[in-house]
């Protein structure tokens, strides 16, 4: 009997806990669909090793795994982590430009742009890629209040959207977050643009082999709302159980899809 797999996709962020070929092989086997590299952390040398490992594991599994380069954007460190540096004129920093050159040389498949506020930011990144001689699809990350009034413009200009709930939750009242997520997903569905829901989806699995009931419900609800993909961050970068986390997310997504009336996700 042929094994059934989810149509929606799981994005896993790669880091020290998951950057070796053997671990990646298992994650791919348990249905990691895309690999994300967070350029807020690590060096080009480290990311080059991850890219090589992802591609080697893809070959061994005979299944192509696209790579998302997530640019860090104008963030500055604080005692509590990081925050947006609002003094910079562009969301594309000098660091981002160097990182982008590296990513394009490595032939990443997608580029995620942090702190998007309008469609102009997306156009600026696309123009920069044209200048560098290679244009990749752009994922606009929605994580600041200024983006909300400009959502239609952003969705029109970008290739895909990420609901980046971490910074979005830091910059807006937390109680509004579920409704903003639902609204963003609905708008993306209407425009037939892929949308990924991200941040703390299975956070307890950093240290636990099983998720909380609330996390299971969160992942399911994202799929029921119409998310095309769901994303893991700390769970697979520094967590103790990266393979089990991907496996559990696949189970949850597959079950949730039984209740989506046959809706097919917008593929990246």
């Amino acid at each position: 009997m042929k094994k059934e797999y989810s149509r929606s996709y799981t994005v896993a962020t790669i880091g020290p806990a998951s950057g070796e070929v053997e671990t990646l092989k298992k994650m791919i086997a348990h249905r990691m669909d895309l690999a994300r590299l967070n350029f807020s952390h690590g060096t080009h040398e480290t990311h080059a090793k991850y890219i090589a490992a992802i591609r080697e594991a893809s070959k061994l599994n005979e299944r192509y795994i696209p790579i998302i380069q997530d640019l860090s954007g104008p963030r500055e460190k604080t005692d509590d982590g990081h925050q947006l540096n609002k003094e910079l004129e562009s969301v594309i920093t000098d660091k981002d430009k160097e990182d982008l050159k590296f990513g394009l040389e490595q032939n990443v498949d997608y580029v995620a742009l942090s702190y998007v506020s309008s469609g102009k930011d997306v156009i600026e990144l696309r123009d920069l890629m044209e200048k560098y001689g290679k244009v990749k699809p752009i994922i606009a990350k929605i994580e600041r209040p200024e983006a909300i009034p400009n959502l239609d413009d952003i969705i029109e200009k970008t290739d895909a959207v990420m609901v980046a709930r971490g910074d979005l939750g830091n910059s807006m009242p937390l109680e509004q977050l579920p409704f903003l997520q639902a609204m963003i997903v609905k708008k993306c569905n209407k425009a037939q643009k892929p949308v990924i829901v991200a941040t703390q989806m299975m956070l307890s699995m950093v240290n636990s082999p099983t998720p909380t009931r609330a996390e299971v419900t969160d992942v399911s609800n994202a799929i029921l709302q119409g998310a095309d993909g769901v994303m893991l961050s700390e769970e697979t970068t520094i967590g103790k159980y990266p393979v089990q986390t991907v496996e559990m997310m696949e189970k949850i997504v597959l079950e949730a899809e039984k209740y989506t009336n046959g809706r097919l996700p917008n593929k990246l």
Side-chain angles (χ1 to χ4, degrees), residues 100-108 129 132 134 136:
L100 179 63
K101 286 179 183 177
F102 166 81
L104 296 177
E105 288 169 359
Q106 292 284 324
N107 202 30
V108 298
M129 286 193 276
Y132 292 161
K134 191 178 289 185
K136 297 292 183 175

Side-chain angles (χ1 to χ4, degrees), residues 10-101:
T10 292
V11 182
T13 308
I14 307 307
S18 54
E20 299 294 331
V21 172
E22 286 304 312
T23 304
L24 287 162
K25 274 176 59 182
K26 294 173 184 176
M27 290 169 67
I28 293 169
H30 288 296
R31 304 315 284 186
M32 175 180 82
D33 300 298
L34 295 104
R36 169 184 174 251
L37 298 177
N38 183 359
F39 276 72
S40 296
H41 306 282
T43 63
H44 287 182
E45 182 182 8
T46 301
H47 287 298
K49 290 178 181 178
Y50 291 155
I51 290 169
I54 294 162
R55 289 181 173 148
E56 177 64 19
S58 294
K59 289 179 182 177
L60 293 171
N61 283 72
E62 297 183 342
R63 183 165 165 251
Y64 185 72
I65 301 299
I67 296 172
I68 300 171
Q69 177 185 28
D70 194 334
L71 302 175
S72 55
R75 35 183 104 227
E76 55 185 10
K77 291 184 178 180
T78 67
D79 292 336
D80 298 322
H82 67 261
Q83 66 181 18
L84 172 64
N85 180 354
K86 296 183 178 180
E87 294 181 3
L88 297 179
E89 293 182 7
S90 171
V91 296
I92 304 173
T93 65
D94 290 340
K95 177 186 184 304
D96 291 333
K97 292 175 182 178
E98 291 303 312
D99 289 342
L100 179 63
K101 286 179 183 177

Side-chain angles (χ1 to χ4, degrees), residues 26-253:
K26 294 173 184 176
M27 290 169 67
I28 293 169
H30 288 296
R31 304 315 284 186
M32 175 180 82
D33 300 298
L34 295 104
R36 169 184 174 251
L37 298 177
N38 183 359
F39 276 72
S40 296
H41 306 282
T43 63
H44 287 182
E45 182 182 8
T46 301
H47 287 298
K49 290 178 181 178
Y50 291 155
I51 290 169
I54 294 162
R55 289 181 173 148
E56 177 64 19
S58 294
K59 289 179 182 177
L60 293 171
N61 283 72
E62 297 183 342
R63 183 165 165 251
Y64 185 72
I65 301 299
I67 296 172
I68 300 171
Q69 177 185 28
D70 194 334
L71 302 175
S72 55
R75 35 183 104 227
E76 55 185 10
K77 291 184 178 180
T78 67
D79 292 336
D80 298 322
H82 67 261
Q83 66 181 18
L84 172 64
N85 180 354
K86 296 183 178 180
E87 294 181 3
L88 297 179
E89 293 182 7
S90 171
V91 296
I92 304 173
T93 65
D94 290 340
K95 177 186 184 304
D96 291 333
K97 292 175 182 178
E98 291 303 312
D99 289 342
L100 179 63
K101 286 179 183 177
F102 166 81
L104 296 177
E105 288 169 359
Q106 292 284 324
N107 202 30
V108 298
D109 298 276
Y110 303 94
V111 178
L113 181 60
S114 296
Y115 298 114
V116 172
S117 63
S118 71
K120 290 180 181 179
D121 296 328
V122 177
I123 293 171
E124 183 183 353
L125 177 59
R126 193 171 286 122
D127 288 346
L128 188 59
M129 286 193 276
E130 287 179 358
K131 178 182 174 182
Y132 292 161
K134 191 178 289 185
V135 178
K136 297 292 183 175
I138 296 170
I139 302 171
K141 295 170 65 179
I142 308 302
E143 52 189 339
R144 57 190 295 201
E146 292 87 345
I148 303 305
N150 300 320
L151 264 176
D152 292 336
D153 180 44
I154 294 169
I155 292 170
E156 179 187 347
K157 300 295 193 305
T158 194
D159 300 290
V161 168
M162 182 185 294
V163 186
R165 302 186 303 183
D167 283 286
L168 191 59
N170 288 337
S171 60
M172 304 189 74
L174 272 177
E175 64 272 17
Q176 294 180 12
L177 193 56
F179 308 100
L180 289 171
Q181 173 180 312
M183 182 262 288
I184 296 166
V185 169
K186 185 176 181 179
K187 281 181 174 288
C188 288
N189 286 171
K190 185 177 180 181
Q192 296 185 312
K193 291 288 179 77
V195 56
I196 301 165
V197 173
T199 316
Q200 297 185 340
M201 302 214 80
M202 309 269 273
L203 187 60
S204 71
M205 290 194 75
V206 168
N207 295 304
S208 170
T210 56
T212 67
R213 277 63 174 164
E215 289 166 341
V216 173
T217 302
D218 183 34
V219 175
S220 296
N221 281 340
I223 298 300
L224 292 173
Q225 284 177 346
D228 303 295
V230 283
M231 196 179 93
L232 299 164
S233 297
E234 298 101 319
E235 302 94 333
T236 50
T237 55
I238 59 172
K240 295 178 181 178
Y241 306 98
V243 177
Q244 294 93 321
T245 306
V246 170
E247 182 179 15
M248 179 57 70
M249 183 166 267
E250 167 68 8
K251 288 180 180 178
I252 299 166
V253 172

